Amino acid sequence: MMVGILDNADRTLAHLETAAAAIAANLVDLDDNPVRRDLDKGQLAGRTATAWADATDELARLWEGYRMLTELITKARGVRSAKRLSDGDRAAYVRLVLGDSITLSTQTVPLAQRGLLGPGQVTTACTPMELLGAMEQSFRTAVDVVTRVADIRQRLIPAAADVAASLDRVRRLAEQARTGLPLLAEADLLLGELTGALADDPLSAETPEQGLDRVRRLIERADAERTSVTEFRASLTRRLARAAERATEIDQADRDLRASVRDVADRFAPEVVARGPRGDLRHELTALNALAAAGQWTSISPRLSAWTQQSEGHLAGIREATARNRALLAERMELRGRLSAYQAKALSRGLGENEALAVLANDAHERLYTAPCDLDAARRAVDAYQEALRGDQQ
């Protein structure tokens, strides 16, 4: 029977030796893990601080368990390597490998809690295989914290960096447009909180995708506001440019009007000369351009609309007055042509010496060629000559 137990102990010792080698490699890898080192050096908070404190305790137990395990293996291998084993040696070897040979803790029992026959100390012990099981659980606890933190940071730090780059890009545009900045300030504050959490308490930020989504939405709102304002300003800029063109048209129309006034002022009665509307629209347009330069865009639109309406009426009035003045000259020219044509017709009919016709022709000529010209009277005189000529021909 001792032979079967001894073989079992040998197999267990071989397993313990293999396990010890694997444990050493895994503990070294865990010790060299960059996330684990960051957790050791970082100023942790919240759930991460609590979880890592627990994991650190488990790591301490791991290393202590590894020490106890290797010491036991060395001791057991020394006993087993002897050339001759006494029954006592065999029993000691079997107890080392299969028995409760690992002392986990020794605690003093307070006097008040002892019975008369109770021990002064309580020792907790386990088998090497039980120690392996406890070490496995401790390793899982520590690795779980490290891998969760690594996963969170691996997922979210690049995403946060992308959001930060987007924030910087939109901020530069928003500063130029001078709009959307409060929203971006809120996004910047929230992003700072999230990145801070990724540094000192990543386990409390296990679902910060929602926080990053909030930051993205703030950035999108700020960018939309900036775009809207930019488009609004671009629209007003185009309207101001059209207003400048309209002002140039008014200036040219006003010059044309003044020229028409000079052309008719001495040729017709003053009351029929059209002077056109008065008013300096340039002053208001200069004020609107000054508001644009100062960035006071919201103040521009209603005033620019009023200016545009006023300028359209002003330009129409100027052009109408110019047309009326030119119409005076055109009508006088037309009446002069008619009179000349009728006189030529009278000559061709042999009525050049007709005294009555000559009186009417002279009256019409005097009215058409004497300033100021009364077009109504001149028209009546030409009509009278025409009627008289027609009567003589009959």
Side-chain angles (χ1 to χ4, degrees):
M1 184 174 180
M2 176 60 72
V3 174
I5 295 176
L6 194 62
D7 288 342
N8 187 22
D10 287 342
R11 287 192 297 271
T12 302
L13 179 58
H15 175 71
L16 293 175
E17 287 174 331
T18 302
I23 290 170
N26 288 327
L27 286 178
V28 169
D29 286 346
L30 179 58
D31 203 46
D32 287 339
N33 185 278
V35 176
R36 184 250 187 223
R37 291 185 174 183
D38 285 345
L39 289 170
D40 264 350
K41 294 184 296 184
Q43 298 294 322
L44 303 179
R47 291 172 56 188
T48 306
T50 301
W52 187 240
D54 294 340
T56 301
D57 291 341
E58 296 297 333
L59 282 172
R61 279 191 282 272
L62 263 172
W63 284 107
E64 178 62 16
Y66 177 71
R67 181 192 65 78
M68 292 188 293
L69 182 63
T70 53
E71 287 179 355
L72 180 139
I73 290 172
T74 300
K75 187 176 181 180
R77 182 55 64 189
V79 173
R80 189 70 178 88
S81 298
K83 292 182 179 181
R84 292 183 179 181
L85 291 175
S86 65
D87 289 342
D89 291 337
R90 289 188 181 92
Y93 172 67
V94 169
R95 183 184 177 283
L96 277 173
V97 177
L98 301 179
D100 292 337
S101 56
I102 302 293
T103 300
L104 297 177
S105 65
T106 300
Q107 296 179 337
T108 299
V109 180
L111 182 60
Q113 298 177 11
R114 297 179 200 172
L116 178 61
L117 302 179
Q121 290 183 329
V122 175
T123 299
T124 302
C126 68
T127 68
M129 291 300 294
E130 289 173 340
L131 176 62
L132 280 182
M135 291 174 68
E136 179 67 33
Q137 185 59 45
S138 295
F139 184 73
R140 287 177 182 173
T141 299
V143 169
D144 177 67
V145 176
V146 172
T147 54
R148 283 167 58 199
V149 169
D151 176 68
I152 291 168
R153 288 179 174 173
Q154 186 176 11
R155 284 187 297 109
L156 298 177
I157 288 179
D162 289 343
V163 172
S166 177
L167 176 61
D168 288 341
R169 178 185 62 81
V170 174
R171 181 189 287 114
R172 288 193 297 271
L173 296 173
E175 287 173 349
Q176 294 174 4
R178 288 178 285 186
T179 186
L181 296 176
L183 288 172
L184 293 176
E186 184 180 352
D188 196 17
L189 179 62
L190 180 56
L191 182 60
E193 292 174 352
L194 289 171
T195 54
L198 288 175
D200 58 31
D201 190 13
L203 296 183
S204 292
E206 287 185 278
T207 57
E209 288 91 347
Q210 296 178 355
L212 286 177
D213 285 343
R214 285 180 56 200
V215 176
R216 291 188 186 98
R217 286 194 295 272
L218 287 169
I219 294 172
E220 289 170 358
R221 285 173 55 195
D223 199 31
E225 182 178 305
R226 175 197 64 80
T227 301
S228 176
V229 170
T230 300
E231 291 175 350
F232 174 68
R233 292 178 180 176
S235 173
L236 284 180
T237 299
R238 290 191 295 270
R239 289 173 61 192
L240 284 170
R242 289 196 296 270
E245 294 173 357
R246 174 59 54 81
T248 300
E249 290 180 32
I250 291 174
D251 289 343
Q252 180 59 51
D254 196 53
R255 287 193 291 271
D256 293 342
L257 174 60
R258 288 196 297 271
S260 73
V261 169
R262 288 194 299 271
D263 288 341
V264 299
D266 296 330
R267 292 177 172 87
F268 300 93
E271 60 270 15
V272 301
V273 176
R275 303 289 176 175
R278 294 290 182 266
D280 184 10
L281 296 179
R282 281 284 185 180
H283 179 75
E284 174 67 1
L285 188 57
T286 300
L288 292 175
N289 282 308
L291 287 175
Q296 303 296 320
W297 296 94
T298 55
S299 303
I300 295 175
S301 186
R303 291 176 60 177
L304 183 55
S305 296
W307 186 93
T308 301
Q309 184 176 4
Q310 183 181 2
S311 66
E312 289 175 354
H314 193 79
L315 181 61
I318 291 175
R319 286 174 172 171
E320 181 183 358
T322 302
R324 285 170 55 192
N325 289 337
R326 289 174 176 170
L328 294 175
L329 291 172
E331 185 174 1
R332 189 184 69 168
M333 185 64 67
E334 187 266 336
L335 290 174
R336 286 179 174 180
R338 281 177 58 195
L339 178 61
S340 296
Y342 294 146
Q343 286 181 309
K345 187 175 182 180
L347 288 174
S348 67
R349 298 290 188 269
L351 299 174
E353 300 299 328
N354 187 299
E355 185 176 348
L357 289 176
V359 171
L360 291 173
N362 289 336
D363 179 55
H365 188 278
E366 183 177 355
R367 293 183 184 279
L368 286 172
Y369 288 89
T370 302
C373 174
D374 185 341
L375 282 176
D376 290 336
R379 188 181 305 105
R380 289 193 298 270
V382 172
D383 289 343
Y385 180 78
Q386 180 184 2
E387 289 297 323
L389 179 61
R390 184 180 297 117
D392 286 338
Q393 290 176 343
Q394 294 175 352

